[in-house]
Amino acid sequence: MVKLTRIYTRGGDAGETSLGDGSRVPKHDRRVAAYGTVDEANAAVGLARLHTGADAMGGRPEIAPGIDAMLGRIQNDLFDLGADLCTPEEPDPKYPPLRVLQSQVDRLEAEIDAMNADLAPLTSFILPGGSPAAAHLHLARTVARRAERLMTDLARHEPVNPAALKYINRLSDHLFVLGRVVNGNGAGDVLWVPGANR
């Protein structure tokens, strides 16, 4: 377990930070940008959770516990993902670091399939919005997509766990589908009307 007795260390005052393997890199390093944006996605999911409780579900409080449990698991997974990205890949490490596993990706896929089974097919793209919960889930989705772009950029320059890349890709799909669920199973979705204001 992590034990934090002191929050500031002054170690980053010169613009560098330590990775999980102890190496020092600039704070604008690709790896730091990737896991920093994963942390931002986690914060956005936390904000969405404020709007998915029983009181906020617009007459559908029965779905709130399941949604909160899913989002809680996702937040914990995102910390796992940050820890994964924070530690560069190396063959046969003395102390194997925490890595995202395929089973975490599989769980997201199973949840997506279960949620999507009750949704009507889309006839247009969706504008972020509808309910406060959906709007915040769409915001979290876009931050997850940005994290994915940074992770794939990192993967072009150094090894990245393939399961980590799959996880972040699947997460944005999950948040999209969940946004539809909290919008009354799609009834409250705001559809894009191409060229409507020309």
Side-chain angles (χ1 to χ4, degrees), residues 139-198:
L139 178 61
R141 172 185 61 79
T142 63
V143 178
R145 281 291 189 209
R146 180 155 42 90
E148 181 182 15
R149 291 191 296 272
L150 292 168
M151 287 173 61
T152 57
D153 178 55
L154 173 64
R156 289 178 61 100
H157 295 87
E158 50 189 292
V160 173
N161 174 9
L165 291 166
K166 290 179 189 177
Y167 186 91
I168 196 68
N169 185 15
R170 221 63 86 245
L171 176 60
S172 55
D173 297 331
H174 188 290
L175 295 171
F176 176 81
V177 173
L178 184 54
R180 296 197 67 208
V181 169
V182 302
N183 258 348
N185 272 352
D189 286 341
V190 181
L191 300 181
W192 173 49
V193 181
N197 303 305
R198 291 193 295 184

Side-chain angles (χ1 to χ4, degrees), residues 62-82:
E62 72 283 357
I63 68 170
I67 289 172
D68 191 64
M70 281 192 288
L71 292 176
R73 287 190 296 269
I74 285 168
Q75 284 197 286
N76 202 80
D77 284 352
L78 286 172
F79 243 88
D80 289 355
L81 178 56

Side-chain angles (χ1 to χ4, degrees), residues 4 11 24 32-34 52 65 102 124 129 140 160 168 187:
L4 300 175
R24 301 282 293 173
V32 178
T52 57
Q102 180 63 39
S124 177
V160 173
I168 196 68

Side-chain angles (χ1 to χ4, degrees), residues 84-107:
D84 186 325
L85 292 169
C86 182
T87 307
E89 299 254 339
E90 64 173 279
D92 301 317
K94 183 176 180 182
Y95 301 104
L98 181 66
R99 297 287 182 212
V100 170
L101 300 176
Q102 180 63 39
S103 59
Q104 291 168 287
V105 179
D106 294 342
R107 190 198 74 241

